[in-house]
Amino acid sequence: MDLSTNILIVDDYKTMLRIIRNLLKQIGFENVEEATDGSDALAKLKARDFGLVISDWNMAPMTGLELLTAVRADARLKSIPFIMITAESKTENVIAAKQAGVSNYIVKPFNAETLADKIGKVFAHA
């Protein structure tokens, strides 16, 4: 796991952005940028290189699933590992995310250990 990887975290809830940033810091990641919705995230992904996207599912105006679909459809971005975070563990959501090309999936609430495990698995398959 390369701790110098640029990570983009996406959530429309500022408190959640802060929590994820703190968990990433506990793991050892320092290069973390934030976006407050999918369209903001997409603009940032097109502006600079990121090695990982961690995105919430439920956001407006562009959801995490719509962001994932846009990333996978973009030739330059499609190989970026993408972890989806959601409060819902509905089977159909997991299936939809898998079909859209999600790298891994985290259900809230979660801790640094869970996040590190999911990131490790994503990078092991990258």
Side-chain angles (χ1 to χ4, degrees), residues 77-99:
L77 304 176
K78 69 179 182 186
S79 63
I80 297 173
F82 196 111
I83 296 175
M84 188 76 75
I85 296 174
T86 183
E88 300 173 33
S89 57
K90 288 186 200 157
T91 308
E92 59 267 26
N93 287 13
V94 177
I95 292 169
K98 288 275 186 216
Q99 288 173 336

Side-chain angles (χ1 to χ4, degrees), residues 46-120:
K46 290 181 178 190
R48 67 181 275 226
D49 291 334
F50 289 94
L52 175 65
V53 176
I54 301 173
S55 176
D56 186 40
W57 182 300
N58 295 312
M59 298 180 292
M62 182 188 232
T63 68
L65 188 62
E66 290 166 340
L67 171 62
L68 172 60
T69 303
V71 166
R72 292 296 179 245
D74 186 303
R76 198 179 74 74
L77 304 176
K78 69 179 182 186
S79 63
I80 297 173
F82 196 111
I83 296 175
M84 188 76 75
I85 296 174
T86 183
E88 300 173 33
S89 57
K90 288 186 200 157
T91 308
E92 59 267 26
N93 287 13
V94 177
I95 292 169
K98 288 275 186 216
Q99 288 173 336
V102 77
S103 307
N104 218 317
Y105 201 86
I106 300 175
V107 178
K108 296 175 191 174
F110 59 94
N111 57 23
E113 188 180 334
T114 301
L115 186 58
D117 178 59
K118 298 284 185 175
I119 292 170

